[in-house]
Amino acid sequence: MSSHSSPFLDRLQLYQKRVDRAMDQWLPSANTHPARLHEAMRYAVLTGGKRIRPTLTYATGEALGIPLSELDGIAASLELIHSYSLVHDDLPAMDDDDLRRGQPTCHKAFDEATAILVGDALQALSFYILTHDKNLKASPEIRLRMIELLGLACGSRGMAGGQAIDLESVGKELNIMQLEDMHIHKTGALIRASVALPALCVSDKDQSLFDRLDHFGKCIGLAFQIRDDILDEEGDTSTMGKQQGQDRARNKPTYPYIAGMSVAKERAADLYQESLKSLEAFDDKADTLRNIADYIVNRSH
Amino acid sequence: MSSHSSPFLDRLQLYQKRVDRAMDQWLPSANTHPARLHEAMRYAVLTGGKRIRPTLTYATGEALGIPLSELDGIAASLELIHSYSLVHDDLPAMDDDDLRRGQPTCHKAFDEATAILVGDALQALSFYILTHDKNLKASPEIRLRMIELLGLACGSRGMAGGQAIDLESVGKELNIMQLEDMHIHKTGALIRASVALPALCVSDKDQSLFDRLDHFGKCIGLAFQIRDDILDEEGDTSTMGKQQGQDRARNKPTYPYIAGMSVAKERAADLYQESLKSLEAFDDKADTLRNIADYIVNRSH
C-alpha cells in the first residue's frame, strides 16, 4: 500500500516510542511500594502493542499544529485506559485469554486478583495524568472537558458498556445495527476520544474544526473494529499475535458473519472514505492522520 | 454515647438521603442501554451502606460554611468509588464474598463479568461527575485538584494499592507499621480524600485550614480501619451485616491480632484525640465532623 511507505512507518514508530517513554515515566517504578502491583502494571502496559490510540492523538495534534511534546500525557492516558481494558477483558470471567501480544496475559503472569487491581489502578492513573501533566498547555476548562470526555468514552455508555453488550451478545443473533452499536461502544468510543481529546485544544477557537475531527474519529473507530472482525476470519495467527477465528469460535457475532464478507469490506471502505471526507478542509499536515485511516482499514494484523 | 443523640443521627440520615438521591440521579436509569450493566451498577450502589465518606464530605462542608447542595457531586463521586471497590473486593479472585450489606454481592446477583464491568464503569462515572457537576461552584483549577487528589487516593498508591498489600499480607506476619501502612492505603486514602476534596474549596484562600482538615481526615481514616479490625474480633454478625471474625478466619492480619486488643483500642482513641485536636481552631459548625469522628471510633457496626 502506498501509505505504508517508509516515512509513514517511521512516523508511527516515533509516536510509539514517544508514548512508551511517556507511560514509562508516568507509571511508578517496579520497586515502588506496593511493588508487585506496580510490576504488574508495567508488565501489562509496556509489553508492546500497536498503540493505535496514541498515534491518532499525535497525528491529530500534528494536523492542528500542536507540538508533540504537549500531547504525551493525553496519548499515555488513552493507552493506559486501553491497556486496563485488555487486562480486564482477558480475565477468566470475561474472555479467558492466556495470550496477549504473544505473551502470557496479566492474570497468567501474575494472578487474577492482581490483574483486577492492575486495571483499576491504570484507570485511576489515566485520569490523574490529565490533571497533572505539566507539558499540556490547555486551560483548566479544556482539561476538564478532556476528563469529562474520557469518562464518558470509557464508562457504561462507552467502552465498559460495549464490553457488557459484547458479553450479552454471545450466542445471540444480532442484526447489523446491533453489531455496529456494540462496536461503537466497545472500541469506537475510545478511538474516537483519541482524536477528540487533542482536538479539544482548539475547540474554543473553532468548534467546526473539532466537529470534523470528531466525525473522523467516529468513522475510523467503527472501521477499526470491522477490520478486526474481518481479520478474525481471514487473518493469520502468527502476524496477529492472537488466535485467528477466536471470536467466531466463541460464538461471538462478527461483521462478516452477520453481513457477509463483501458487505463488511464495503462498509469499512465507505467509512474510510467518509473519514477522509471529514478531513477535506485540512492541509497536508493532516496526511499522517489520513495515512493512519488507510492503515486501520487495510492492516493485516 | 453522648454524640449518638438524636440531632446527630438525624443529621447523618439527612446526609445519607442526600447522597443516595444524588447517586440515583447520576447513575443511568436501569433501562438505559446497556440495561443489564446499568441495573447492576444501581444494585451495587443503591442497596444501602453507612455512607461514611459522603457524611464526612458534607460535614466538612458544613464546618467551612459551604452549602450542602454544592457538595452532592463530590459526595456521590466518593461513594461511587467506594462502591466500585466493594464490588471488586467481593469477587471470587479477591475476597470471594457472597454477602454484602446483608444482600447477595454483585457477582452473585448478576455474574462475575458484569461485576468487573460495574466496578470499571463506576470508577469512570466518579471522575466524570467531578467535571460535570453544575452545582459545585469551585473554579476549574480547584476541580482539577479534586480529580488529581481522587486519582491518587484510589490508585496504585492509594486504595487499589492497599488492596494489593492486603492480598499479599494473607498468612504473613506483619508488624504494626506494615499493618498501618496497609490500612492507610486500603481504607485511609479514600476517607482522607472525603475530607480533603470539600476542603479544597477553601484551599486557595487558606492553605492551613486545608492542612488541618486533611490531617483530621488522615487520623480518622486510620482510626476507622482499626475500629473495623476491633469489630471483626468483637462485633456481632447480625448488627454488622457481614460475618464476624471473617478477617481472622481468612488469615488476614488485624490490629488486635498483631498488637493486642488493648493497644488497638488505645491507638484508635489516640487517633480520635489527634483528630479532634486538628479541629481546635474550628467553631461549632464543625461539631458534626467531631461527632462523626466519635461515631467512627466507637461504632458497633
Side-chain angles (χ1 to χ4, degrees), chain A residues 33 38 88 132 148 156 181, chain B residues 33 38 120 132 148 156 181:
Chain A
H33 178 62
H38 288 131
H88 280 190
H132 206 75
E148 182 183 345
S156 69
D181 173 72
Chain B
H33 178 62
H38 289 132
D120 294 347
H132 207 76
E148 181 182 347
S156 69
D181 172 72

Side-chain angles (χ1 to χ4, degrees), chain A residues 155-232:
Chain A
S156 69
R157 280 170 293 184
M159 187 183 74
Q163 182 67 10
I165 299 169
D166 188 348
L167 289 166
E168 274 180 61
S169 72
V170 173
K172 278 195 192 145
E173 289 292 324
L174 300 190
N175 59 35
I176 295 183
M177 217 179 68
Q178 290 169 319
L179 183 73
E180 288 205 358
D181 173 72
M182 175 175 107
H183 285 354
I184 286 165
H185 283 81
K186 195 185 166 187
T187 337
L190 196 63
I191 290 185
R192 185 175 176 179
S194 306
V195 176
L197 259 64
L200 278 173
C201 294
V202 299
S203 63
D204 51 349
K205 286 166 219 121
D206 189 342
Q207 179 66 33
S208 86
L209 211 61
F210 172 82
D211 290 341
R212 274 173 281 162
L213 284 167
D214 189 39
H215 188 69
F216 171 85
K218 188 181 164 186
C219 295
I220 221 61
L222 178 53
F224 178 89
Q225 192 55 49
I226 295 176
R227 183 68 195 164
D228 230 45
D229 283 4
I230 293 170
L231 286 171
D232 188 68

Side-chain angles (χ1 to χ4, degrees), chain A residues 26 28 32-38 41 84 88-89 91 93-94 111-114 116-117 119-121 123-125 127-128 130-132 139-141 143-145 147-152 154-157 159-165 167-168 181 185, chain B residues 26 28 32-38 41 84 88-89 91 93-94 111-114 116-117 119-121 123-125 127-128 130-132 139-141 143-145 147-152 154-157 159-165 167-168 181 185:
Chain A
W26 282 106
T32 300
H33 178 62
R36 189 176 153 83
L37 177 63
H38 288 131
M41 286 167 76
Y84 116 63
H88 280 190
D89 287 2
L91 285 166
M94 306 269 266
D111 57 80
E112 267 185 68
T114 301
I116 294 167
L117 294 170
D120 294 347
Q123 181 172 182
L125 178 58
F127 285 103
Y128 172 80
L130 290 180
T131 68
H132 206 75
S139 68
E141 286 83 356
R143 274 177 199 259
L144 282 174
R145 287 191 59 198
I147 295 167
E148 182 183 345
L149 216 149
L150 183 67
L152 279 177
C154 72
S156 69
R157 280 170 293 184
M159 187 183 74
Q163 182 67 10
I165 299 169
L167 289 166
E168 274 180 61
D181 173 72
H185 283 81
Chain B
W26 282 107
T32 299
H33 178 62
R36 190 176 153 84
L37 178 63
H38 289 132
M41 286 167 75
Y84 116 64
H88 280 190
D89 287 3
L91 286 166
M94 306 270 264
D111 56 80
E112 268 186 68
T114 300
I116 294 167
L117 293 171
D120 294 347
Q123 180 171 183
L125 178 58
F127 285 103
Y128 172 80
L130 291 180
T131 68
H132 207 76
S139 68
E141 286 83 356
R143 274 177 199 259
L144 282 174
R145 286 189 61 198
I147 296 167
E148 181 182 347
L149 217 150
L150 183 66
L152 279 176
C154 71
S156 69
R157 281 170 293 185
M159 186 184 73
Q163 183 66 9
I165 299 168
L167 290 166
E168 275 179 60
D181 172 72
H185 283 80

Side-chain angles (χ1 to χ4, degrees), chain B residues 165-180 182 248 250-260:
Chain B
I165 299 168
D166 187 346
L167 290 166
E168 275 179 60
S169 73
V170 172
K172 279 195 193 144
E173 289 292 323
L174 300 189
N175 59 35
I176 294 183
M177 216 178 68
Q178 290 168 319
L179 183 73
E180 288 204 358
M182 175 173 106
R248 284 303 316 136
R250 282 189 182 127
N251 221 2
K252 283 195 179 188
T254 68
Y255 217 102
Y257 177 75
I258 288 174

